[in-house]
Amino acid sequence: MKHKDGKTHQSDKSSWKVTVPLTVVVLCGLFFYLGGIFCSERERYVAEPVNKAVDTPTGTATVPVQIKAVSFPECSAEYQDYTPCTDPKRWHKYGRHRLAFLERHCPPSFERQECLVPPPDGYKSPIRWPKSKNECWYRNVPYDWINKQKSNQHWLKKEGEKFLFPGGGTMFPNGVGAYVDLMQDLIPQMKDGTIRTAIDTGCGVASWGGDLLDRGILTVSLAPRDNHQAQVQFALERGIPAILGIISTQRLPFPSNSFDMAHCSRCLIPWTEFGGVYLLEVHRILRPGGFWVLSGPPVNYQRRWRGWNTTIEEQKSDYDKLQELLTSMCFKLFNKKDDIAVWRKLSDNSCYKKLDNPDNYPSKCDDGTEPDSAWYTPLRPCVVVPNPAAKKVKLDALPKWPERLHTAPERVSDVRGGSAGSFKHDDGKWKARAKHYKKLLPALGTDKIRNVMDMNTFYGGFAAAVIDDPLWVMNVVSSYAPNTLSVVYDRGLIGTIHDWCEAFSTYPRTYDLLHLDGLFSAESHRCEMKYVLLEMDRILRPNGYAIIRESSYFVDTIATMAKGMRWSCRKEETEYGVEKEKILICQKKLWYSKQNS
């Protein structure tokens, strides 16, 4: 054996005895490693060609993942509105306390469905935006519960083959337009581009969020899958941003200081119960200087208490408790008129210094509580204090919309390797990519595509590049990736944190376009490709598209699996024609269940 000095210190015979076994061990280890890469039990298959093949140059070192042709069966018709992690069939397994059963509870791996979710019988391609804001096909969301239970409030009504959305609501009997007009009178910042992002908790059919779109405000409408059947499904069918969710025992999947405004219209959330944790969560996700708007009990109790099955004394007590709680967590009453009250989250650090008093309730969260941790993170009855060093996170310090879209946010420096320069580079890169995508997919930028998801965004560059098109983008940041979602919100876009090893919080058939950039390269060591693609099929509308930008290592495998899901795909070059990366343009076919007529 030779040492680092190159001299032999043993006889040839002894050297031979040591070297041969060592060589065998090294070679065995090498073959085992290579076998793990190229011959894993999960992906030891043979590739199928896609519509447009791109030749692999001689001498390429990377061997693509390969797979046999597959064909996924249809799910039974009862799965037409299957939401795996919020499945009503599993609710009985979870506690009723604080409605925790309505939160995410994903099935174990052995219960995962490996089938294609069918559309309802009579499903049609959705009505295109902007007409879809006011009407949708009845057969696409064939549920009459809201129509029957809320008919006097004009949430929606059925006429012939369609549902119509007249813009009514419990707290806006004169229509959502008049309601928002009053709100704008109370909050002038809604008119000048100061307020850009909003969240609506308990959104109904998302008429409030839909009206705000016309006013340049982008809203995440939030509702659980409950007895108000298909609220979120109605919202997305209309082309309005929405996700399934509830404030219960876990944080909402957003970073701290995200939204410019939060809203609740008679959503009946018990704000002052359980140590005020629900309101504390609104405080966490609302940026300093942001507005919280409440209409319904106990606001305007002096006139409304008779219709709330209570006494005026009880409603006064509820209002006083609410006001006291809001003041203790550094909210200040901003304006109030008729049924609407507006509070503002203070941006002055002097209020938060009072929380250092141990007798104060609620108390300040300790330093071990990460303010941006938001994926299966329990709610805590404490105040998340804004970072006093973050001067430009405050609402009044942000550039107004649309200037903020292309301005590097202060929080970009919180990302490892992040800087104003990297932000600018990313912005320019996605402008070039979006231009190339529109050449490959002419439907992008037309009314054929409305609901879009960027499945693994970084700074929201793709969404920014298509901002002038008649669409909106749900920007998804992996729970295992650097948490860049605060940057997305600071530039006036919306999004959520998610783990793609699980199902997304939405109904089937709710997105027209799914875009992913290197998702399988980043997550294939954790998430089995088959289940990610089946989830993409579940949430993609029939005749919808997918733009899959991936390493050449994965594209043929993805195309073969996509064919087994009844997608048609073609392989394309990137805008720079690099060999290590390809683009798949796929379209999901419209098919009907054999079990339906």
Side-chain angles (χ1 to χ4, degrees), residues 513-529:
L513 173 66
L514 302 177
H515 170 263
L516 63 87
D517 176 24
L519 177 64
F520 295 108
S521 297
E523 304 279 7
S524 61
H525 65 290
R526 295 193 313 106
C527 310
E528 191 167 350
M529 187 183 299

PDB file of all heavy atoms in Angstrom, residues 513-529:
ATOM      1  N   LEU A 513     -54.084  26.283 -16.042  1.00  0.00           N
ATOM      2  CA  LEU A 513     -52.674  26.112 -16.408  1.00  0.00           C
ATOM      3  C   LEU A 513     -51.856  25.855 -15.149  1.00  0.00           C
ATOM      4  O   LEU A 513     -51.967  26.579 -14.160  1.00  0.00           O
ATOM      5  CB  LEU A 513     -52.143  27.360 -17.117  1.00  0.00           C
ATOM      6  CG  LEU A 513     -50.631  27.394 -17.403  1.00  0.00           C
ATOM      7  CD1 LEU A 513     -50.239  26.315 -18.408  1.00  0.00           C
ATOM      8  CD2 LEU A 513     -50.189  28.774 -17.892  1.00  0.00           C
ATOM      9  N   LEU A 514     -51.041  24.806 -15.204  1.00  0.00           N
ATOM     10  CA  LEU A 514     -50.068  24.521 -14.151  1.00  0.00           C
ATOM     11  C   LEU A 514     -48.674  24.733 -14.736  1.00  0.00           C
ATOM     12  O   LEU A 514     -48.367  24.216 -15.807  1.00  0.00           O
ATOM     13  CB  LEU A 514     -50.210  23.088 -13.652  1.00  0.00           C
ATOM     14  CG  LEU A 514     -51.584  22.682 -13.091  1.00  0.00           C
ATOM     15  CD1 LEU A 514     -51.580  21.210 -12.699  1.00  0.00           C
ATOM     16  CD2 LEU A 514     -51.970  23.541 -11.892  1.00  0.00           C
ATOM     17  N   HIS A 515     -47.860  25.486 -14.032  1.00  0.00           N
ATOM     18  CA  HIS A 515     -46.485  25.711 -14.473  1.00  0.00           C
ATOM     19  C   HIS A 515     -45.531  25.221 -13.391  1.00  0.00           C
ATOM     20  O   HIS A 515     -45.743  25.477 -12.202  1.00  0.00           O
ATOM     21  CB  HIS A 515     -46.231  27.193 -14.737  1.00  0.00           C
ATOM     22  CG  HIS A 515     -44.787  27.515 -14.967  1.00  0.00           C
ATOM     23  ND1 HIS A 515     -43.954  28.000 -13.970  1.00  0.00           N
ATOM     24  CD2 HIS A 515     -44.008  27.395 -16.067  1.00  0.00           C
ATOM     25  CE1 HIS A 515     -42.739  28.176 -14.448  1.00  0.00           C
ATOM     26  NE2 HIS A 515     -42.743  27.824 -15.722  1.00  0.00           N
ATOM     27  N   LEU A 516     -44.528  24.472 -13.788  1.00  0.00           N
ATOM     28  CA  LEU A 516     -43.502  24.068 -12.821  1.00  0.00           C
ATOM     29  C   LEU A 516     -42.133  24.178 -13.463  1.00  0.00           C
ATOM     30  O   LEU A 516     -41.956  23.932 -14.647  1.00  0.00           O
ATOM     31  CB  LEU A 516     -43.769  22.660 -12.286  1.00  0.00           C
ATOM     32  CG  LEU A 516     -43.750  21.449 -13.229  1.00  0.00           C
ATOM     33  CD1 LEU A 516     -42.346  20.909 -13.379  1.00  0.00           C
ATOM     34  CD2 LEU A 516     -44.666  20.368 -12.701  1.00  0.00           C
ATOM     35  N   ASP A 517     -41.196  24.561 -12.642  1.00  0.00           N
ATOM     36  CA  ASP A 517     -39.821  24.787 -13.081  1.00  0.00           C
ATOM     37  C   ASP A 517     -38.876  23.977 -12.198  1.00  0.00           C
ATOM     38  O   ASP A 517     -38.542  24.396 -11.092  1.00  0.00           O
ATOM     39  CB  ASP A 517     -39.493  26.278 -12.991  1.00  0.00           C
ATOM     40  CG  ASP A 517     -38.027  26.575 -13.339  1.00  0.00           C
ATOM     41  OD1 ASP A 517     -37.415  25.772 -14.060  1.00  0.00           O
ATOM     42  OD2 ASP A 517     -37.520  27.618 -12.883  1.00  0.00           O
ATOM     43  N   GLY A 518     -38.490  22.783 -12.668  1.00  0.00           N
ATOM     44  CA  GLY A 518     -37.543  21.960 -11.931  1.00  0.00           C
ATOM     45  C   GLY A 518     -38.090  21.359 -10.655  1.00  0.00           C
ATOM     46  O   GLY A 518     -37.318  21.020  -9.758  1.00  0.00           O
ATOM     47  N   LEU A 519     -39.405  21.200 -10.558  1.00  0.00           N
ATOM     48  CA  LEU A 519     -39.996  20.650  -9.339  1.00  0.00           C
ATOM     49  C   LEU A 519     -39.534  19.219  -9.076  1.00  0.00           C
ATOM     50  O   LEU A 519     -39.191  18.861  -7.948  1.00  0.00           O
ATOM     51  CB  LEU A 519     -41.522  20.691  -9.426  1.00  0.00           C
ATOM     52  CG  LEU A 519     -42.280  20.077  -8.245  1.00  0.00           C
ATOM     53  CD1 LEU A 519     -42.019  20.856  -6.971  1.00  0.00           C
ATOM     54  CD2 LEU A 519     -43.779  20.035  -8.524  1.00  0.00           C
ATOM     55  N   PHE A 520     -39.515  18.397 -10.112  1.00  0.00           N
ATOM     56  CA  PHE A 520     -39.117  16.997  -9.917  1.00  0.00           C
ATOM     57  C   PHE A 520     -37.626  16.891  -9.604  1.00  0.00           C
ATOM     58  O   PHE A 520     -37.211  16.041  -8.815  1.00  0.00           O
ATOM     59  CB  PHE A 520     -39.494  16.174 -11.143  1.00  0.00           C
ATOM     60  CG  PHE A 520     -40.976  16.084 -11.363  1.00  0.00           C
ATOM     61  CD1 PHE A 520     -41.576  16.774 -12.401  1.00  0.00           C
ATOM     62  CD2 PHE A 520     -41.769  15.345 -10.522  1.00  0.00           C
ATOM     63  CE1 PHE A 520     -42.945  16.724 -12.600  1.00  0.00           C
ATOM     64  CE2 PHE A 520     -43.145  15.277 -10.700  1.00  0.00           C
ATOM     65  CZ  PHE A 520     -43.729  15.965 -11.742  1.00  0.00           C
ATOM     66  N   SER A 521     -36.826  17.751 -10.204  1.00  0.00           N
ATOM     67  CA  SER A 521     -35.400  17.761  -9.890  1.00  0.00           C
ATOM     68  C   SER A 521     -35.180  18.096  -8.416  1.00  0.00           C
ATOM     69  O   SER A 521     -34.292  17.541  -7.765  1.00  0.00           O
ATOM     70  CB  SER A 521     -34.660  18.784 -10.761  1.00  0.00           C
ATOM     71  OG  SER A 521     -34.754  18.445 -12.126  1.00  0.00           O
ATOM     72  N   ALA A 522     -36.011  19.000  -7.883  1.00  0.00           N
ATOM     73  CA  ALA A 522     -35.838  19.447  -6.507  1.00  0.00           C
ATOM     74  C   ALA A 522     -36.472  18.510  -5.485  1.00  0.00           C
ATOM     75  O   ALA A 522     -35.964  18.360  -4.372  1.00  0.00           O
ATOM     76  CB  ALA A 522     -36.429  20.843  -6.340  1.00  0.00           C
ATOM     77  N   GLU A 523     -37.587  17.847  -5.857  1.00  0.00           N
ATOM     78  CA  GLU A 523     -38.361  17.116  -4.858  1.00  0.00           C
ATOM     79  C   GLU A 523     -38.460  15.608  -5.081  1.00  0.00           C
ATOM     80  O   GLU A 523     -39.069  14.913  -4.282  1.00  0.00           O
ATOM     81  CB  GLU A 523     -39.795  17.690  -4.816  1.00  0.00           C
ATOM     82  CG  GLU A 523     -39.886  19.186  -4.555  1.00  0.00           C
ATOM     83  CD  GLU A 523     -39.748  19.532  -3.075  1.00  0.00           C
ATOM     84  OE1 GLU A 523     -39.444  18.623  -2.278  1.00  0.00           O
ATOM     85  OE2 GLU A 523     -39.927  20.708  -2.728  1.00  0.00           O
ATOM     86  N   SER A 524     -37.878  15.077  -6.160  1.00  0.00           N
ATOM     87  CA  SER A 524     -38.075  13.654  -6.467  1.00  0.00           C
ATOM     88  C   SER A 524     -37.478  12.734  -5.411  1.00  0.00           C
ATOM     89  O   SER A 524     -37.875  11.572  -5.305  1.00  0.00           O
ATOM     90  CB  SER A 524     -37.487  13.320  -7.845  1.00  0.00           C
ATOM     91  OG  SER A 524     -36.093  13.574  -7.861  1.00  0.00           O
ATOM     92  N   HIS A 525     -36.522  13.223  -4.617  1.00  0.00           N
ATOM     93  CA  HIS A 525     -35.965  12.391  -3.556  1.00  0.00           C
ATOM     94  C   HIS A 525     -36.950  12.244  -2.391  1.00  0.00           C
ATOM     95  O   HIS A 525     -36.804  11.349  -1.560  1.00  0.00           O
ATOM     96  CB  HIS A 525     -34.659  13.000  -3.042  1.00  0.00           C
ATOM     97  CG  HIS A 525     -34.829  14.331  -2.369  1.00  0.00           C
ATOM     98  ND1 HIS A 525     -35.165  15.470  -3.069  1.00  0.00           N
ATOM     99  CD2 HIS A 525     -34.713  14.706  -1.067  1.00  0.00           C
ATOM    100  CE1 HIS A 525     -35.252  16.496  -2.222  1.00  0.00           C
ATOM    101  NE2 HIS A 525     -34.981  16.051  -0.996  1.00  0.00           N
ATOM    102  N   ARG A 526     -37.985  13.114  -2.346  1.00  0.00           N
ATOM    103  CA  ARG A 526     -38.980  13.040  -1.276  1.00  0.00           C
ATOM    104  C   ARG A 526     -40.339  12.568  -1.778  1.00  0.00           C
ATOM    105  O   ARG A 526     -41.041  11.837  -1.090  1.00  0.00           O
ATOM    106  CB  ARG A 526     -39.170  14.420  -0.626  1.00  0.00           C
ATOM    107  CG  ARG A 526     -37.980  14.983   0.093  1.00  0.00           C
ATOM    108  CD  ARG A 526     -38.362  16.188   0.947  1.00  0.00           C
ATOM    109  NE  ARG A 526     -39.188  17.152   0.229  1.00  0.00           N
ATOM    110  CZ  ARG A 526     -40.500  17.325   0.414  1.00  0.00           C
ATOM    111  NH1 ARG A 526     -41.138  16.594   1.293  1.00  0.00           N
ATOM    112  NH2 ARG A 526     -41.164  18.226  -0.281  1.00  0.00           N
ATOM    113  N   CYS A 527     -40.732  13.053  -2.952  1.00  0.00           N
ATOM    114  CA  CYS A 527     -42.087  12.827  -3.443  1.00  0.00           C
ATOM    115  C   CYS A 527     -42.057  11.926  -4.668  1.00  0.00           C
ATOM    116  O   CYS A 527     -41.341  12.212  -5.633  1.00  0.00           O
ATOM    117  CB  CYS A 527     -42.740  14.161  -3.825  1.00  0.00           C
ATOM    118  SG  CYS A 527     -42.627  15.448  -2.572  1.00  0.00           S
ATOM    119  N   GLU A 528     -42.851  10.879  -4.654  1.00  0.00           N
ATOM    120  CA  GLU A 528     -42.891   9.989  -5.803  1.00  0.00           C
ATOM    121  C   GLU A 528     -43.564  10.694  -6.980  1.00  0.00           C
ATOM    122  O   GLU A 528     -44.671  11.245  -6.860  1.00  0.00           O
ATOM    123  CB  GLU A 528     -43.642   8.698  -5.463  1.00  0.00           C
ATOM    124  CG  GLU A 528     -43.487   7.633  -6.514  1.00  0.00           C
ATOM    125  CD  GLU A 528     -43.958   6.266  -6.046  1.00  0.00           C
ATOM    126  OE1 GLU A 528     -44.223   6.100  -4.844  1.00  0.00           O
ATOM    127  OE2 GLU A 528     -44.050   5.376  -6.909  1.00  0.00           O
ATOM    128  N   MET A 529     -42.903  10.693  -8.111  1.00  0.00           N
ATOM    129  CA  MET A 529     -43.340  11.434  -9.286  1.00  0.00           C
ATOM    130  C   MET A 529     -44.783  11.098  -9.674  1.00  0.00           C
ATOM    131  O   MET A 529     -45.566  11.977 -10.044  1.00  0.00           O
ATOM    132  CB  MET A 529     -42.392  11.134 -10.449  1.00  0.00           C
ATOM    133  CG  MET A 529     -42.624  11.958 -11.687  1.00  0.00           C
ATOM    134  SD  MET A 529     -41.524  11.475 -13.040  1.00  0.00           S
ATOM    135  CE  MET A 529     -39.923  11.807 -12.320  1.00  0.00           C
TER     136      MET A 529
END
